[in-house]
Amino acid sequence: MVFAFRFFLPMSWKQIRVNKSLFAAKWPLILLLGTTGYCLNSISVYQAVRFTTTINTSFINAFNPILIAFVGYILHHERVTRVQFLGFVLSLAGVLCIIFQGNLGLIIRLKINPGDLFMVGSVIFWSIHTVLYKNKASGLPERPMFTLMMLGGLLITLPMTLLENRAYHWSWVSRIKTVHVLGILSLNIFPSVLAYQFWNGALKKISANRVGIFLYLIPLYTTAISILLFGESLRLYHILGGLLIFVGVLLVTSNGSEKNSEKVMLSQD
């Protein structure tokens, strides 16, 4: 994230100076967006893949459009139709199927892989970030806002990083290899720079729900890469859970057949 911030800062500095009073007034929001989207979300993802498979994380990530719609309802009281509520239930069932590997015994014993829980946390943080950005920040200048959100994430992440490394006496420094440096550069260029830029750019053009639809493509790409490069296996519970999530996403993000029928509110009307 430091690399990405230093990359965008020179390009954004002029606009930041011109709009400094505007951004100063929005600083609590910027810090919250940086914390959810650039700190907690990233930490949760990288912790998740330490304990679970990349296929698991990608399928759980496909639950994101559902949570985006749910968070939109929680924060902004958006209406939820019966069809959309059914989609939420089906997708949640799909996530639980993947987390518990389709095994009833694991559900009864509540035996959960911690990596799957970290990934669920990542989905929650990213959903909050997306809805907040769309409803509170999409009207602000895009590039300087993008840069300042990274700064907000860094302000939260760096103290945590220093404390962690102090606890481990910086022992990782002596084990750095070329492959690690290349990996860090890749993470800075693709997820930290390009992916966030494309995502926030899309939110400027279309609704958060429509942007979220594209997230269900992630399991397709991730599964193919994981099988080809890492030798992971696609299990029956992945397929069943993925189908439930996919159907749920379609129900939640479509206009639905009940467009002109009675809407169901999950809170007081």
Side-chain angles (χ1 to χ4, degrees), residues 78-99:
E78 297 175 1
R79 288 182 178 272
V80 178
T81 67
R82 290 189 178 95
V83 172
Q84 289 174 323
F85 183 72
L86 174 61
F88 174 80
V89 173
L90 288 176
S91 290
L92 181 60
V95 171
L96 293 177
C97 179
I98 293 170
I99 289 176

Side-chain angles (χ1 to χ4, degrees), residues 80-84 255-264:
V80 178
T81 67
R82 290 189 178 95
V83 172
Q84 289 174 323
N255 290 328
S257 59
E258 299 185 17
K259 181 177 180 181
N260 298 317
S261 63
E262 179 185 358
K263 300 281 180 116
V264 176

Side-chain angles (χ1 to χ4, degrees), residues 167 176 179 184 193 249:
I176 292 178
V179 66
I184 292 173
V193 175
V249 168

Side-chain angles (χ1 to χ4, degrees), residues 176-196:
I176 292 178
K177 298 179 181 179
T178 302
V179 66
H180 299 145
V181 176
L182 294 176
I184 292 173
L185 286 175
S186 297
L187 288 173
N188 275 277
I189 293 171
F190 295 102
S192 298
V193 175
L194 297 180
Y196 280 98

Side-chain angles (χ1 to χ4, degrees), residues 30-46:
I30 293 172
L31 187 62
L32 180 58
L33 288 169
T35 301
T36 53
Y38 296 80
C39 174
L40 298 179
N41 169 61
S42 298
I43 291 173
S44 298
V45 170
Y46 298 136

